[in-house]
């Protein structure tokens, strides 16, 4: 989903609740991280918070918006998941909390297509640490080196690389400066899921390792 705007709104709401003006802070640095990791960074960078920001508070703000103002899907995402699931085992490795991940899977009716679902509660370390992708691969019974990860955050691309997986970067909404960081992290770059080449998932399913 294109939910980074909701992430930024949740952060802004928590800062406002605590009377903190973020100024010109670049909130894109929080993209792809767990709420626990974001809260720790906020408490470090805003002494005015006095350690009061919490992952649960951020999640509450985010999830309320996520349910009541559902973010747009990245174009072609649902269709790509369904096609991929016809040929491969599929998992989500998300920095979001389980209630938000399961709400999305329910809303999109993708339970059967995505049997593996790793959420923030399942890991100790946030992206860009590879733990979430290592756990997802383990749940699918797959070597991480045999996995292809689609990611739209820099933290996620770094995590996938560190796990030893191949990476496909979704470049939707990326600035030129962000794209400069994406290039060395991606085996494939596509604007959105409609730009995945026709027959892509079928072809990679035919690959054989001796």
């Amino acid at each position: 989903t294109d939910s980074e705007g909701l992430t930024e709104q949740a952060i802004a709401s928590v800062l406002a609740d605590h009377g903190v003006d973020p100024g010109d802070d670049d909130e894109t640095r929080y993209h792809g991280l767990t709420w626990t990791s974001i809260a720790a960074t906020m408490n470090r960078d805003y002494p005015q918070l006095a350690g009061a920001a919490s992952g649960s508070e951020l999640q509450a703000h985010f999830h309320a918006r996520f349910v009541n103002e559902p973010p747009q899907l990245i174009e072609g995402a649902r269709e790509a998941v369904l096609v991929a699931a016809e040929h491969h085992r599929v998992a989500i490795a998300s920095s979001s909390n389980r209630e938000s991940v399961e709400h999305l899977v329910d809303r999109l009716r993708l339970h059967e297509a995505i049997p593996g679902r790793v959420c923030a509660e399942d890991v100790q370390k946030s992206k860009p640490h590879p733990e979430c992708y290592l756990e997802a691969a383990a749940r699918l019974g797959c070597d991480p080196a045999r996995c292809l990860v689609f990611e739209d955050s820099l933290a996620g691309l770094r995590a996938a690389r560190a796990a030893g997986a191949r990476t496909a970067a979704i470049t939707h909404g990326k600035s030129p400066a962000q794209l400069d960081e994406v290039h060395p992290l991606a085996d494939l770059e596509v604007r959105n899921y409609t730009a995945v080449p026709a027959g892509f998932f079928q072809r990679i399913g035919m690959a054989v390792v001796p």
Side-chain angles (χ1 to χ4, degrees), residues 32-34 37 93-95 125-130 132-133 151 153 155-156 159:
L33 308 183
T34 64
S37 178
S94 178
S95 293
K125 297 182 179 180
S126 176
K127 298 173 184 177
H129 192 278
C132 66
Y133 285 118
E151 259 289 356
S153 75

Side-chain angles (χ1 to χ4, degrees), residues 146 206-210:
R146 298 283 291 164
M206 295 169 62
V208 175
V209 175

Side-chain angles (χ1 to χ4, degrees), residues 2-17:
D2 191 5
S3 60
E4 302 300 0
L6 297 187
T7 297
E8 294 172 13
Q9 289 175 37
I11 292 167
S13 294
V14 169
L15 290 173
D17 287 349

Side-chain angles (χ1 to χ4, degrees), residues 30-103:
Y30 300 117
H31 292 179
L33 308 183
T34 64
W35 290 120
T36 298
S37 178
I38 291 171
T41 302
M42 291 170 64
N43 286 325
R44 182 195 69 205
D45 292 351
Y46 298 105
Q48 313 95 299
L49 287 171
S54 69
S56 59
E57 183 182 14
L58 288 160
Q59 167 63 16
H61 277 278
F62 173 84
H63 189 68
R65 289 179 169 86
F66 194 76
V67 171
N68 296 317
E69 308 167 30
Q72 293 291 316
L73 292 181
I74 295 174
E75 192 173 357
R78 185 177 187 276
E79 295 78 7
V81 168
L82 290 172
V83 173
E86 292 177 4
H87 304 279
H88 307 279
R89 287 163 286 174
V90 177
I92 289 177
S94 178
S95 293
S96 292
N97 286 40
R98 180 166 286 103
E99 66 173 346
S100 300
V101 171
E102 294 298 340
H103 173 80

Side-chain angles (χ1 to χ4, degrees), residues 164-175:
R166 297 292 184 91
T167 56
I170 302 296
T171 61
H172 166 89
K174 293 285 184 295
S175 68

